[in-house]
Amino acid sequence: QVQLVESGGGAVQSGGSLRLSCRVSGITLDDYAFGWFRQAPGKEREAVACISRSDGTWYADSVKGRFTISTDTDKITMYLQMNSVKPDDTAIYYCAAQQWGDGRSYNPRAFGYWGQGTQVTVSS
């Protein structure tokens, strides 16, 4: 059974830092790409960062240089280190997984496994 469980969300002031964690079970980075996504009120879900063995890391332009995605492969835990956060980063953050192969995509619709989400609120 595939499970993804996020933790680490909360409230932080603008310019501060936060680290999100996602515990993954049932699949591994060997065959899957893992990603972080976010959805703000009234907006569509968007990709933030992704990681895969074949393609490495990918970041949305809005978070490049501020966020870092990484994994602890021994424990199958994925992280999102968020630095220099801004009020625009306020959203529910989700981790997700996609079997990585032909047709792979960073589009949220291509990811078949999702966590329950964790709220991140950045105050100015």
Side-chain angles (χ1 to χ4, degrees):
Q1 183 180 1
V2 178
Q3 282 191 319
L4 293 85
V5 180
E6 302 99 337
S7 62
V12 61
Q13 288 192 330
S14 182
S17 297
L18 205 62
R19 190 175 82 157
L20 307 182
S21 299
C22 175
R23 182 85 176 186
V24 181
S25 59
I27 54 176
T28 70
L29 199 60
D30 288 341
D31 300 310
Y32 285 77
F34 298 153
W36 286 99
F37 297 79
R38 66 187 180 186
Q39 187 165 17
K43 294 187 177 181
E44 291 189 355
R45 192 168 297 187
E46 63 176 359
V48 174
C50 295
I51 188 167
S52 66
R53 286 201 183 280
S54 59
D55 298 331
T57 57
W58 172 91
Y59 296 94
D61 288 343
S62 58
V63 305
K64 277 181 183 177
R66 300 188 299 121
F67 292 7
T68 302
I69 188 172
S70 62
T71 62
D72 178 342
T73 54
D74 289 342
K75 298 179 180 179
I76 314 299
T77 302
M78 179 174 63
Y79 304 98
L80 184 69
Q81 178 66 41
M82 305 168 62
N83 297 330
S84 302
V85 296
K86 306 173 182 179
D88 284 348
D89 295 322
T90 295
I92 299 175
Y93 282 72
Y94 300 89
C95 62
Q98 175 188 161
Q99 192 160 14
W100 207 239
D102 293 343
R104 57 185 179 266
S105 168
Y106 297 122
N107 188 311
R109 293 185 178 87
F111 285 74
Y113 299 104
W114 291 86
Q116 81 285 357
T118 185
Q119 177 71 47
V120 172
T121 303
V122 182
S123 59
S124 57

